[in-house]
Amino acid sequence: MESAERIRAIMNALRTSDSVSVSELALAYGVSEMTIRRDLDELAQQGVVRRVRGGALSLLLRGEEPPFGVREREAIDAKRRIGAEVAGLLADGEAVLLDGGTTALEVARAVRERRLTILPLALQAAQELAGAPRVRLVLPGGEVRHGEMNFVGPLTETSIKALRFDTAVIGCCGLSAEHGLTAHDLPEVAIKQAAIASARRVVVACDSGKFTRTAFGAVCGLDRLDVVVTDENIPRDQHDALTAAGVAVRTVPASVPVT
């Protein structure tokens, strides 16, 4: 089991239990206890766990999203393919609002050579695009959310409302036919709503894991979405519900094929 896959498995265990044991994890994943200790030390540095003798205690509230650095290592192949697919939906010359999050960061990397006007809602994407020769980079201002490095607050919201975009590329913490698009952080909910209201077309970029989750804050219903780009592991019932609601669903391979 690769390190990223193992970290993801430990995170899943922490979602259902308040503590994990080094010896039990080592036995479950077929690795040494030293390897598990290193994994837990990494999660402790990210603020996910507190290390205790023989294991670790979860520091996440139930339903709280893992830190950016942890999520960035999840579904890496799928997110890169989603980023490339979203880039292919954009026409040169468009004005694009690019949401924060790990999948949106892959979109930023995929459009570096394109002729676009882009307003990114996260410092990671802004840094990625800062040296792009053909990208007109516009920053919204506002408060930067610690850890996520997303722009939030009234200044950000006012900046978005003053502009009009051809396409808004939106990330999410959860997406389902029943609850629509959801996010954990309430200030980000307001920013996403402003972004959706200011765009002619709304493209959601998310890996299939988001279809099994519902976050605290409701952003919008399916009727506000035009396109969802995800990977091939999207649950069939969710795919059909999106299509029935008039949302175009585009899927990409979830991982690199083994040859």
Side-chain angles (χ1 to χ4, degrees):
M1 181 181 287
E2 296 294 330
S3 174
E5 184 182 358
R6 196 169 56 248
I7 290 285
R8 184 164 59 251
I10 294 173
M11 287 292 304
N12 288 335
L14 288 167
R15 289 190 177 103
T16 59
S17 175
D18 292 330
S19 64
V20 291
S21 161
V22 169
S23 59
E24 290 177 359
L25 291 175
L27 182 63
Y29 304 141
V31 296
S32 69
E33 292 190 4
M34 181 62 71
T35 296
I36 294 298
R37 290 191 185 95
R38 285 196 295 266
D39 291 340
L40 294 178
D41 287 342
E42 181 176 339
L43 288 174
Q45 291 175 359
Q46 298 282 355
V48 175
V49 301
R50 176 168 64 86
R51 293 283 277 116
V52 296
R53 184 176 180 82
L57 300 176
S58 175
L59 294 179
L60 293 178
L61 298 174
R62 294 202 180 277
E64 187 177 28
E65 63 184 332
F68 185 95
V70 173
R71 302 197 319 274
E72 192 174 20
R73 298 176 58 177
E74 296 181 338
I76 296 174
D77 291 332
K79 289 176 181 178
R80 287 174 179 165
R81 285 171 170 76
I82 291 168
E85 185 73 15
V86 172
L89 296 176
L90 304 175
D92 279 355
E94 280 199 39
V96 179
L97 182 143
L98 182 59
D99 202 0
T102 56
T103 306
L105 181 57
E106 293 300 332
V107 177
R109 290 168 176 156
V111 299
R112 279 181 52 85
E113 304 302 321
R114 300 289 302 279
R115 184 172 63 83
L116 299 164
T117 296
I118 301 179
L119 187 144
L121 294 180
L123 289 180
Q124 298 97 329
Q127 184 175 12
E128 187 69 36
L129 296 167
R134 303 177 69 202
V135 171
R136 180 189 181 194
L137 186 62
V138 181
L139 297 182
E143 181 182 354
V144 175
R145 181 185 169 202
H146 180 71
E148 290 297 301
M149 308 305 284
N150 289 0
F151 292 103
V152 295
L155 290 178
T156 306
E157 192 172 345
T158 298
S159 297
I160 293 171
K161 289 179 177 179
L163 301 171
R164 294 295 177 266
F165 302 92
D166 297 299
T167 302
V169 179
I170 303 296
C172 65
C173 302
L175 180 60
S176 69
E178 181 179 2
H179 300 290
L181 192 143
T182 58
H184 288 291
D185 187 68
L186 294 184
E188 283 196 17
V189 169
I191 297 302
K192 292 179 189 293
Q193 289 172 339
I196 290 169
S198 295
R200 181 176 56 84
R201 177 177 62 160
V202 177
V203 176
V204 175
C206 66
D207 67 86
S208 60
K210 300 300 192 301
F211 292 94
T212 63
R213 305 170 191 168
T214 300
F216 182 55
V219 177
C220 70
L222 300 185
D223 60 307
R224 301 302 303 274
L225 312 180
D226 297 297
V227 183
V228 169
V229 181
T230 187
D231 63 75
E232 62 193 354
N233 292 329
I234 176 176
R236 172 51 60 182
D237 62 327
Q238 295 297 322
H239 180 287
D240 293 345
L242 286 167
T243 302
V247 181
V249 180
R250 302 174 72 100
T251 59
V252 301
S255 59
V256 178
V258 177
T259 57

